Amino acid sequence: MVMRVLVSSCLLGQPVRYDGGSSADPSPILARWLAEGRIIPICPEVDAGLSIPRPAAEIQAGGGGQAVLRSEAAVRTASGEDVTYAFVRGACLALDLAERAGTRVAVLKEGSPSCGSRAVHDGSFSGVRIPGAGVTVALLQGAGIRVFGEDRLEEADRLLGELDGNDPLDTARSTP
């Protein structure tokens, strides 16, 4: 049995981004994972009931997703609407799905207030990114799930191979 992996639906070409678009990634790794039946597509924001399209949202007050989970920061639209509940709910749904599937790996859309693993927007709606994780990433990482941005697919693929027991060193050792 192969290890399953959560993947942002927008990376798979589904038009679920806030602007109704996708961030399709033509990666051969994603294509292989699809063929192997590994991928569990998720969009925490849509899964939580937010519309397509929807107003852009950013984490306010710094601290990233961890601060949102601790109720020290909020996720708001440019008009000031508080959408924190939907972002936290989407994160919880993603974690539940990961736990039910037994996955320990996710590849999510970098920069998103839900899915950013290394950077999120600074809350000013000016396009500035700061180091930090989105709400879903913070919750998944807190549960021990390794999260990668789409720019780190090769690293995620290596980890999946190790989790499947396909470590090249192990194969070399077992060959007489």
Side-chain angles (χ1 to χ4, degrees):
M1 185 158 104
V2 298
M3 175 66 61
R4 308 270 320 266
V5 57
L6 296 180
V7 176
S8 289
S9 296
C10 63
L11 296 175
L12 301 171
Q14 295 178 15
V16 295
R17 284 176 37 100
Y18 76 94
D19 59 4
S22 79
S23 296
D25 188 327
S27 164
I29 292 173
L30 288 179
R32 179 170 38 83
W33 289 354
L34 276 169
E36 294 170 348
R38 287 186 185 272
I39 292 180
I40 302 169
I42 64 163
C43 178
E45 297 165 28
V46 172
D47 295 344
L50 293 176
S51 65
I52 306 167
R54 58 190 168 276
E58 295 186 6
I59 298 171
Q60 307 289 302
Q66 283 293 342
V68 173
L69 294 173
R70 291 189 308 265
S71 298
E72 296 170 358
V75 184
R76 297 188 187 278
T77 66
S79 68
E81 179 187 3
D82 188 335
V83 291
T84 304
Y85 175 80
F87 277 75
V88 172
R89 182 170 186 269
C92 291
L93 291 170
L95 177 59
D96 180 61
L97 190 57
E99 288 176 338
R100 284 188 286 121
T103 189
R104 295 168 34 202
V105 181
V107 174
L108 304 178
K109 179 65 184 137
E110 197 59 66
S112 158
S114 288
C115 299
S117 61
R118 289 194 198 168
V120 294
H121 289 91
D122 70 354
S124 68
F125 295 92
S126 62
V128 175
R129 288 188 184 192
I130 58 172
V135 180
T136 297
V137 171
L139 190 62
L140 293 175
Q141 288 176 332
I145 296 169
R146 293 279 308 273
V147 182
F148 302 88
E150 70 274 16
D151 59 335
R152 297 171 54 212
L153 275 168
E154 293 82 8
E155 189 178 343
D157 193 40
R158 280 191 301 275
L159 177 59
L160 283 172
E162 291 170 15
L163 293 171
D164 286 343
N166 296 332
D167 184 350
L169 294 176
D170 288 342
T171 304
R173 287 188 198 116
S174 63
T175 305

